[in-house]
Amino acid sequence: MTAAAVVLLMLTTGVTLGQESQSSQPDSTVPPIGPQEVRTILLQEDGTPTASSFARLNTSFPELFSFTVCYRIHLLRFREESTLMSYAISENRDNELRMDHRMTGYKVSLHSRWAKTLLETPLNQWAHFCMSFDHPTGEWKIYRDGELTDSGAFPRTEESLKGNGAYIIGQEQDSFGGGFQRDQSFSGEITELNFWSRVLDNDTIRKFSSCAEEEAGDALAWASQIWDIHGKVKWVVRQKDDICRQQKRAFTIFPDRFSLSEAIHLCQVVGGIIAVPQTEEENTWIYNESKVHDAYCSRGQSSYLWLGANDEKQERQWVYLVSGEPLSWESKWRGDGPNGGTVENCLVMLSGTFPGRWSDIACLDTYSFCVPCEFETRTTIYLKGPAMCEGSPFNLKYMLGENVGGRPSLVGFLHSDIYWDEERGAWVMRSLKNPDAVATWTPIQEGMYPLGNQEWTLQTEVCGIPHGGTVNLTLSVCGDGMFTCKDGTCISLKQRCDLRVDCPDQSDESECSIVDLPEGYHISIPPPASAENKTLPIYLTINIIAFPTIVTQDLTFIASMQLRLRWQDTRLNFLNLHDDRTLNLLSEEAVASVWTPRVFFKNARGNIFTNLERGSRVEGIRQGEARPGPPSRPEEGKYTASEYEIVFFPLQIHTTFMEYDISLSPLHDTRHIIT
Ligand SMILES: *[C@@H]1O[C@H](CO)[C@@H](O)[C@H](O)[C@H]1NC(C)=O
């Protein structure tokens, strides 16, 4: 093992010397490592997609029959087709082996045949992947983090995976060693790429994944591979511990001053909770990350960060704010411990003479400090709104990322970012593919974050909205079946427009229109029939309630009745429809904007009677399961098929016999007579 490492160092020194004169080349020096360290190759660190970043294997690729390949990756961004590696053996055999970590799932190609899975690749976190292929049976197996997740079989073939081709990390080859496209590239880190010339069993793979055991690949071993790197690619040294360790608790510090209730709300809106360190290591990390802001956060005092615990219920019994459970760990306190008695029941971190220590403080909303939020798993933040049509330069999904301009940024899953621009005094949403595609939001107050529903200004045309136009965009962690309140709180979609206030800001009961008019909808054109040459069914029900008067010598009567008309308009989409139809009442404006059938009682005495104006109501009747609306909707809603029904309040007509027309349009009159 050590002998091999020495040889490798000598070899790579030679490579480095040879390349020093080419200044445009990246620094390809292979860094030395200690026993607890590993080398990784980092591609497209800044997240911008490019076709020029790749690493090409300069060691010959062996011919393989059965094999297992394992590696660890830390994915920074997805691409449309996130190609981690591709292997070509000739100009037109460019997909002999290819591995894509796409947002839609992990896909592997062998001899241009795909093993497709829905297996997710986590962002911003190390993960261990293996794939094995059994040549005699064609069977393939895919593992993530030591667990078998997918298996299947390729058609059987005598053919081997030929050696000596072009093996490339970071790009998909459309020709031998070239033909790269930026949407088929890789942004992230890779290490410990090993090929074994046999099928490894589940147990071995589990052990490799957890770092309980390691073994260099007999066909191709990471430590003895030589790579030529090009473009935005570099070697990085990592601690073995960091790449082996499973998901850790994550923290984000918001370096703005918030009252305690604002701090709790902010952490909740980004999908976490207000943090309480659970180890010395976490406490130190939070202190070190935030101490540069301590003077601002504390207004020059020593308390500067809210922490999420209190001892309100019982003095000196500190519990987590969110779970109510007792603390599992306490940091050193200032002095002898909490000293404020029953008056000081909230928790802060100190800086200055008591760096990283804790102190109790009164739970007053007049105090404001900065806040760390904690996350068991990193949450996805969704962007929704009219600028999110297909082809939008802005991504639909984000993660909290590094500070930019002094505040946490939101990192797009593919290639757009949202960050604080100090110079502009605005939040900026920018595409990394097209730097002109920018939208900005200027907070009315310093220290506000663009979460919830905000009005953004477009600095370029997006989705048909002109340059300079404004759009309301929603940024929230609310996923499927959730509604985002204006302030970013998530509630169940069932609570939307149910005549009960659920959002802290009441926004769930505003703009409760249930009809979504498509572009080009004409109120004067009746709905299309279900099939060609069919008529549009309109169901009419008349309930005669009474005949208050019958005048025999005139042969007339007065009827008191209730009228119902029911029809379907397939052009319309419906939002927020409830099972209880009485909650699905259309507003007057909505009724005035959709097509409705009309009824005329032609021979009624006095008025010829039409409808709508007189005491009627229009209800939507939910039919079938709802489906999610497109992300370009300004707010979430479920689209549902529906029928309409107009219900008229009791009417009286005076007539000899009832004759009525249902009018679809002037051209489509139909006459019906009831006697
Ligand atoms: C955004 O929402 C606000 C309030 O909800 C509204 O007044 C404004 O007109 C909306 N802006 C656009 C561009 O739709």
Side-chain angles (χ1 to χ4, degrees):
M1 198 65 199
T2 36
V6 173
V7 172
L8 172 73
L9 269 175
M10 282 161 55
L11 276 175
T12 50
T13 316
V15 171
T16 316
L17 287 175
Q19 290 192 341
E20 228 143 54
S21 52
Q22 292 166 288
S23 56
S24 65
Q25 285 293 322
D27 180 9
S28 56
T29 317
V30 180
I33 47 169
Q36 289 311 311
E37 292 174 333
V38 289
R39 286 187 200 91
T40 72
I41 298 178
L42 171 57
L43 303 98
Q44 297 182 8
E45 185 179 16
D46 65 3
T48 307
T50 160
S52 61
S53 62
F54 65 98
R56 183 168 172 164
L57 185 66
N58 201 357
T59 320
S60 74
F61 193 87
E63 181 181 25
L64 293 170
F65 291 85
S66 291
F67 66 89
T68 303
V69 49
C70 292
Y71 53 88
R72 297 179 189 277
I73 56 168
H74 183 267
L75 188 63
L76 290 175
R77 311 259 188 170
F78 288 102
R79 300 290 171 236
E80 279 69 10
E81 298 175 16
S82 323
T83 306
L84 171 68
M85 60 178 86
S86 61
Y87 181 61
I89 54 168
S90 68
E91 206 53 40
N92 50 12
R93 305 268 312 257
D94 57 25
N95 265 334
E96 284 306 284
L97 183 65
R98 168 177 168 187
M99 298 187 162
D100 285 10
H101 288 271
R102 301 189 190 190
M103 201 142 72
T104 49
Y106 181 50
K107 293 174 72 174
V108 176
S109 153
L110 182 67
H111 304 308
S112 294
R113 299 196 191 263
W114 287 99
K116 296 181 185 176
T117 77
L118 298 174
L119 180 59
E120 277 182 41
T121 305
L123 274 179
N124 227 341
Q125 182 186 321
W126 282 101
H128 182 256
F129 281 85
C130 290
M131 188 231 181
S132 68
F133 171 67
D134 185 41
H135 187 259
T137 60
E139 189 175 271
W140 55 265
K141 288 182 179 166
I142 284 171
Y143 300 78
R144 195 186 93 183
D145 297 326
E147 298 303 321
L148 175 66
T149 62
D150 291 273
S151 59
F154 291 119
R156 268 154 70 170
T157 168
E158 295 294 307
E159 209 187 348
S160 65
L161 186 58
K162 300 268 179 314
N164 294 318
Y167 188 89
I168 284 177
I169 284 179
Q171 298 287 342
E172 202 277 309
Q173 308 172 56
D174 285 337
S175 59
F176 187 76
F180 304 152
Q181 292 171 41
R182 64 178 181 177
D183 291 344
Q184 299 179 321
S185 64
F186 182 78
S187 172
E189 262 174 87
I190 176 168
T191 188
E192 296 190 342
L193 169 68
N194 286 293
F195 279 86
W196 290 267
S197 54
R198 64 181 194 276
V199 173
L200 299 184
D201 62 41
N202 299 2
D203 205 39
T204 308
I205 287 178
R206 191 172 305 122
K207 283 178 185 151
F208 288 174
S209 163
S210 68
C211 296
E213 272 178 26
E214 59 181 294
E215 180 190 307
D218 63 340
L220 203 53
W222 180 244
S224 51
Q225 293 157 15
I226 298 169
W227 292 92
D228 293 338
I229 61 176
H230 302 265
K232 285 185 199 157
V233 180
K234 66 180 185 192
W235 285 99
V236 177
V237 175
R238 300 277 174 208
Q239 296 296 315
K240 264 194 190 153
D241 255 10
D242 289 340
I243 63 160
C244 292
R245 187 134 44 133
Q246 292 296 314
Q247 173 89 27
K248 286 191 291 187
R249 275 153 50 88
F251 300 91
T252 295
I253 291 150
F254 290 88
D256 287 286
R257 288 191 295 252
F258 305 95
S259 70
L260 181 60
S261 51
E262 286 168 346
I264 292 169
H265 177 72
L266 177 65
C267 288
Q268 181 201 333
V269 162
V270 291
I273 58 174
I274 177 168
V276 185
Q278 289 182 4
T279 59
E280 185 70 49
E281 188 194 355
E282 288 183 359
N283 202 67
T284 308
W285 188 91
I286 290 178
Y287 174 72
N288 286 338
E289 284 293 305
S290 58
K291 66 183 174 195
V292 290
H293 306 288
D294 68 346
Y296 172 80
C297 296
S298 66
R299 292 192 163 94
Q301 306 295 307
S302 60
S303 309
Y304 82 111
L305 281 186
W306 288 115
L307 296 177
N310 72 16
D311 72 342
E312 207 144 56
K313 267 208 178 126
Q314 201 182 334
E315 179 59 17
R316 292 229 173 193
Q317 284 284 316
W318 289 87
V319 297
Y320 296 109
L321 276 184
V322 176
S323 67
E325 297 290 316
L327 296 195
S328 62
W329 179 84
E330 288 185 20
S331 166
K332 290 205 181 77
W333 294 78
R334 169 169 61 189
D336 301 332
N339 56 7
T342 51
V343 186
E344 298 188 343
N345 294 330
C346 282
L347 188 63
V348 286
M349 185 180 275
L350 306 179
S351 64
T353 39
F354 302 102
R357 295 210 181 185
W358 292 3
S359 178
D360 52 352
I361 194 168
C363 301
L364 295 177
D365 237 11
T366 48
Y367 289 138
S368 57
F369 306 115
C370 298
V371 62
C373 304
E374 67 178 46
F375 305 84
E376 281 305 322
T377 53
R378 277 291 185 193
T379 41
T380 302
I381 298 176
Y382 301 91
L383 178 63
K384 297 165 206 159
M388 303 312 297
C389 64
E390 220 170 295
S392 168
F394 306 125
N395 297 163
L396 295 168
K397 293 179 178 178
Y398 296 80
M399 271 184 136
L400 278 171
E402 304 278 292
N403 279 13
V404 177
R407 298 203 158 96
S409 63
L410 294 170
V411 176
F413 274 31
L414 290 156
H415 35 58
S416 74
D417 284 340
I418 300 172
Y419 58 90
W420 174 248
D421 185 332
E422 241 176 324
E423 243 164 66
R424 283 195 222 218
W427 284 89
V428 171
M429 186 180 301
R430 192 173 73 94
S431 161
L432 298 175
K433 271 175 123 174
N434 171 9
D436 292 335
V438 166
T440 56
W441 174 67
T442 310
I444 44 171
Q445 241 177 46
E446 177 79 12
M448 286 174 75
Y449 286 77
L451 299 154
N453 194 275
Q454 309 292 357
E455 200 167 4
W456 291 75
T457 305
L458 297 172
Q459 313 292 339
T460 182
E461 195 206 305
V462 176
C463 304
I465 306 158
H467 172 270
T470 56
V471 276
N472 282 333
L473 298 178
T474 300
L475 258 179
S476 72
V477 294
C478 316
D480 251 10
M482 306 284 257
F483 170 75
T484 306
C485 304
K486 204 165 162 42
D487 70 357
T489 311
C490 303
I491 61 167
S492 162
L493 209 47
K494 290 211 172 87
Q495 295 168 302
R496 167 86 172 126
C497 297
D498 65 350
L499 305 179
R500 217 175 283 156
V501 170
D502 300 287
C503 287
D505 56 10
Q506 316 199 350
S507 52
D508 58 316
E509 296 302 320
S510 71
E511 292 164 43
C512 280
S513 167
I514 60 171
V515 190
D516 187 34
L517 291 183
E519 218 156 296
Y521 182 87
H522 275 293
I523 184 172
S524 54
I525 301 175
S530 56
E532 227 166 296
N533 299 329
K534 284 242 169 115
T535 51
L536 172 76
I538 297 177
Y539 301 98
L540 175 109
T541 319
I542 293 174
N543 288 322
I544 309 241
I545 298 161
F547 292 103
T549 319
I550 298 176
V551 188
T552 31
Q553 72 254 50
D554 283 0
L555 294 174
T556 64
F557 60 87
I558 292 176
S560 184
M561 64 192 195
Q562 196 186 47
L563 186 65
R564 289 164 181 263
L565 288 161
R566 192 165 171 162
W567 74 98
Q568 191 162 25
D569 191 340
T570 49
R571 296 169 297 177
L572 297 170
N573 282 312
F574 301 85
L575 289 158
N576 313 312
L577 278 191
H578 296 268
D579 290 331
D580 176 359
R581 49 184 281 185
T582 59
L583 295 172
N584 301 336
L585 207 57
L586 264 69
S587 65
E588 270 176 42
E589 300 89 70
V591 172
S593 60
V594 301
W595 177 89
T596 47
R598 275 157 214 281
V599 181
F600 298 86
F601 289 93
K602 304 206 76 165
N603 63 342
R605 219 162 262 188
N607 294 331
I608 290 176
F609 213 68
T610 91
N611 44 34
L612 282 181
E613 291 80 23
R614 300 221 193 166
S616 63
R617 63 173 199 266
V618 181
E619 289 170 0
I621 303 166
R622 181 172 164 158
Q623 292 200 316
E625 276 310 299
R627 61 197 153 85
S632 56
R633 283 285 315 175
E635 36 147 318
E636 302 91 334
K638 290 274 185 173
Y639 276 36
T640 335
S642 166
E643 287 187 333
Y644 276 139
E645 185 163 281
I646 306 184
V647 184
F648 294 92
F649 297 135
L651 316 164
Q652 283 203 339
I653 63 163
H654 185 185
T655 186
T656 42
F657 57 89
M658 273 198 240
E659 180 183 6
Y660 66 90
D661 279 358
I662 296 180
S663 160
L664 294 179
S665 79
L667 297 175
H668 291 78
D669 272 14
T670 348
R671 175 158 299 191
H672 304 262
I673 298 175
I674 297 177
T675 45

